Amino acid sequence: RSMSSVTIPPPACMLRPLEAPLRYLFGPGPSNVPPRILAVGAKPIIGHMHQEMFEIMNDIKRGIQYAFQTENNMTISMSGSGHTAMECAVFNVVEPGESVLVAINGIWGERVAEIAERMGANVHRMVKTPGGYFSNKEIEQAIAKHKPVLFFLTHGESSAGLCHPVNGIGDICRKHNCLFLVDTVASLGAAPIFMDKQNIDILYTGSQKALNAPPGTAPISFNDRACHKMFNRKTKPVSYLLDMTHLSNYWGCDGKPARAYHHTGPVSGFFALRESLSILAEKGLEESWKKHKEVAGYLYRGLEDLGLKLFIPERELRLPSVTTIAIPDGYDWRELLAYIMKHHNMEMTGGLGPSIGMVMRIGLMGYNCEKTNADMALNALADALKNCKKSKA
Ligand code: PMP
């Protein structure tokens, strides 16, 4: 047999068209993408180093500055999902052997602790069960004890459905010479966050939640304190791809006259991200926060009318974008979710990480955040509760 003949035939699946059903994405993300954003994602590709692309990236930067309420120059989007931003933050500001403090009240703190451990940080964990939260006093005591260079907190804990208070923590971090890193992947656009006013040193989010863009890009911003730490390190960050010395140049944030090739950014993903930020700018942050709160409140009433119990008892601590329900007694949550998917073409999900088996989650984010969608979700749940027989637990 000659070296040039193929021995692996074309796979049959590749000869069939792609199947991607239209589905109600009422889980914790990705969320449904509005036609306007889908449309820009289908525009012709331009070069990632063309002047038009740089203009689009400059616009994205301004859009993120608005969404984060920050004037930080070092504001970019990652080429990658929320995890890319988590790794970028940790890899760039922490050096091996340095102390990091992580607040864990769901899966996201666990993930960041693991990321920091993998790059050789000395990780200290503050742990609460899902749905728990930390007082500023507890946080200050732990910071004083472990003297971390970085403290991590999840604003919108999507695995537990908790929106953690942030006020005052940035000041505590400053007092103890520690950087404050906040995850708003699940909360940005749905619950208020003010990066500059709240003294948050590093903030990131994801494209696929309340921003309603497709998954695959992740805005992140560093203030001057964070820049000072990350650009005065002794060692290079472990990741070439996520090194902010390169990314800041690619995004035109380093003051150099020219941008050099580092990696090929996701051109269509950036088009879509720009459109999603432009929708948020048109609508306005306050309006978006108000809408999420209203629709969430409407959903809470409907859930309680169905006899369901909300997992987070304190109403003001509930994450408006992702609502967690305690699993109703005697039901198998997997069966309920499978029923809803099968009969209503609708995604809701179970817990994640430590909240598995504790909660079911309904996400109504951005474009999906409408009372009519809450009604559909409630109707599907009511139907599932009626038809999924109670197990004899
Ligand atoms: N943080 C939070 C709070 C999230 O909800 C998610 C996504 N579920 C992530 C981080 C990770 O984002 P991604 O899946 O885009 O990597």
Side-chain angles (χ1 to χ4, degrees), residues 28-29 81-84 86 108 154 156-159 183-186 204 206 208-209 215-216 352:
S81 81
H83 277 80
T84 328
M86 294 157 86
W108 302 109
T154 314
E157 226 312 335
S158 53
S159 65
D183 177 325
T184 63
V185 172
Y204 63 82
Q208 78 275 28
K209 310 267 182 172
L352 189 63

Side-chain angles (χ1 to χ4, degrees), residues 129-244:
T129 52
Y133 58 97
F134 303 87
S135 70
N136 287 11
K137 195 168 161 216
E138 283 174 296
I139 292 169
E140 178 151 26
Q141 280 168 350
I143 290 178
K145 181 167 169 210
H146 299 297
K147 305 189 173 30
V149 297
L150 181 71
F151 171 62
F152 171 84
L153 184 74
T154 314
H155 179 233
E157 226 312 335
S158 53
S159 65
L162 185 107
C163 192
H164 203 291
V166 169
N167 282 340
I169 302 174
D171 302 316
I172 294 169
C173 289
R174 276 180 192 213
K175 185 172 140 200
H176 294 270
N177 198 24
C178 158
L179 294 173
F180 185 30
L181 167 62
V182 178
D183 177 325
T184 63
V185 172
S187 55
L188 189 88
I193 196 87
F194 302 93
M195 183 173 191
D196 288 356
K197 274 197 273 185
Q198 290 175 318
N199 282 335
I200 297 167
D201 298 298
I202 311 161
L203 187 74
Y204 63 82
T205 191
S207 59
Q208 78 275 28
K209 310 267 182 172
L211 284 177
N212 296 136
T217 58
I220 188 166
S221 179
F222 298 83
N223 70 5
D224 289 342
R225 291 179 79 226
C227 288
H228 181 78
K229 174 87 172 72
M230 75 182 169
F231 295 135
N232 287 285
R233 14 188 324 145
K234 295 179 200 72
T235 59
K236 285 187 178 178
V238 289
S239 169
Y240 183 88
L241 179 61
L242 305 182
D243 187 332
M244 279 302 292

Side-chain angles (χ1 to χ4, degrees), residues 270-306:
F270 288 156
F271 291 172
L273 179 62
R274 186 194 182 284
E275 197 69 7
S276 70
L277 289 164
S278 131
I279 291 173
L280 183 64
E282 286 166 19
K283 179 166 188 148
L285 279 170
E286 286 105 333
E287 189 52 38
S288 185
W289 297 332
K290 196 171 127 223
K291 184 81 185 267
H292 281 84
K293 206 173 165 181
E294 263 171 31
V295 172
Y298 182 79
L299 181 66
Y300 304 155
R301 273 197 301 284
L303 291 168
E304 280 160 353
D305 288 347
L306 286 176

